[in-house]
């Protein structure tokens, strides 16, 4: 207890000396109040370290976000039935709501970092006549669980791979596999 008291007093002194309070902790609504800043940050860090130790052990090389967080791809209404394992898919999720690889999770229970909302389409377009757009879905093209295309893009999406979208008459003439739709 004595060491913790000393540590927090030292943190307060560092906070004051560096002007952390003024630059990082004050905002318009609380500008006239003293709002603790570094102490809650240190406490949160300690709690995070404790949780990571409980989840993965003390080897910090094992502390990887994808081992905790997965993107859940539900297939309603089946995801709410005993058939869930047949229809539902899970995928590695590399982001959170503040990253480009967006994914949101809501803590329904302790250590529940499953992402329930994420972007499912990636589409890259270069505005150049000689380049082709790239796209990727997070699962597959088909909504039919018995189709080979139900989840055939899942692993490519996890790896950040893309499929080229061929456009233009000249490029279409050179395709070997074609499906022609007629009226």
């Amino acid at each position: 207890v004595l060491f913790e008291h000393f540590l927090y007093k030292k943190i307060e002194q560092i906070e004051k000396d560096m002007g952390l309070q003024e630059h990082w902790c004050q905002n318009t609504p609380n500008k006239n109040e003293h709002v603790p800043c570094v102490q809650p940050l240190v406490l949160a860090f300690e709690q995070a370290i404790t949780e990571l130790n409980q989840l993965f052990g003390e080897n910090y090389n094992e502390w990887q976000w994808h081992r905790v967080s997965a993107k859940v791809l539900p297939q309603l209404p089946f995801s709410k039935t005993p058939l869930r394992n047949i229809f539902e898919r899970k995928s590695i999720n590399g982001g959170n709501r503040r990253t480009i690889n967006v994914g949101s999770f809501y803590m329904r229970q302790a250590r529940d970092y499953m992402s329930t909302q994420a972007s499912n389409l990636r589409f890259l377009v270069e505005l150049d006549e000689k380049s082709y757009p790239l796209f990727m879905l997070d699962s597959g093209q088909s909504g039919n669980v018995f189709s080979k295309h139900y989840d055939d893009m899942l692993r490519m999406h996890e790896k950040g791979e893309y499929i080229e979208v061929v456009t233009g008459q000249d490029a279409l003439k050179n395709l070997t596999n074609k499906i022609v739709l007629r009226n």
Side-chain angles (χ1 to χ4, degrees):
V1 174
L2 185 60
F3 176 74
E4 284 183 2
H5 178 71
F6 168 77
L7 179 65
Y8 290 121
K9 287 294 179 189
K10 192 70 175 164
I11 290 169
E12 281 181 343
Q13 188 60 46
I14 292 169
E15 179 180 0
K16 189 183 290 180
D17 291 347
M18 294 180 69
L20 295 176
Q21 185 68 29
E22 179 184 334
H23 296 289
W24 293 101
C25 302
Q26 296 298 122
N27 57 37
T28 304
N30 69 11
K31 68 180 176 182
N32 296 323
E33 300 172 32
H34 177 77
V35 179
C37 182
V38 176
Q39 287 177 334
L41 180 65
V42 170
L43 288 172
F45 186 71
E46 287 176 355
Q47 290 170 354
I49 296 296
T50 300
E51 184 170 336
L52 288 166
N53 278 323
Q54 291 170 350
L55 287 169
F56 303 118
E58 294 185 17
N59 181 357
Y60 66 87
N61 290 316
E62 298 293 319
W63 299 357
Q64 297 174 17
W65 181 242
H66 72 85
R67 293 187 59 207
V68 178
S69 178
K71 178 170 43 173
V72 179
L73 303 169
Q75 175 67 289
L76 298 175
F78 300 108
S79 289
K80 300 195 181 281
T81 72
L83 299 172
R84 173 174 156 192
N85 291 336
I86 296 171
F87 290 90
E88 192 171 274
R89 298 294 184 265
K90 289 185 181 173
S91 165
I92 292 172
N93 185 34
N96 62 39
R97 63 188 177 150
R98 292 182 176 87
T99 61
I100 292 173
N101 193 20
V102 68
S104 294
F105 61 89
Y106 299 97
M107 298 289 284
R108 293 180 296 278
Q109 57 191 13
R111 298 185 180 152
D112 178 12
Y113 299 103
M114 294 296 166
S115 178
T116 54
Q117 298 175 347
S119 61
N120 66 336
L121 170 67
R122 294 178 182 159
F123 198 76
L124 303 173
V125 179
E126 186 176 341
L127 301 175
D128 180 355
E129 291 179 21
K130 297 175 183 164
S131 64
Y132 296 110
L134 304 171
F135 90 101
M136 182 54 58
L137 294 172
D138 64 351
S139 56
Q141 179 272 330
S142 177
N144 179 353
V145 73
F146 302 109
S147 168
K148 68 180 183 178
H149 301 295
Y150 183 69
D151 61 1
D152 61 344
M153 296 181 185
L154 189 66
R155 299 299 167 234
M156 291 188 299
H157 189 273
E158 286 177 352
K159 294 177 190 174
E161 296 175 353
Y162 293 88
I163 296 172
E164 189 174 76
V165 179
V166 179
T167 60
Q169 291 297 321
D170 293 336
L172 292 174
K173 288 177 189 174
N174 297 328
L175 290 176
T176 55
N177 296 325
K178 297 180 198 177
I179 297 175
V180 178
L181 303 174
R182 293 202 170 102
N183 219 344

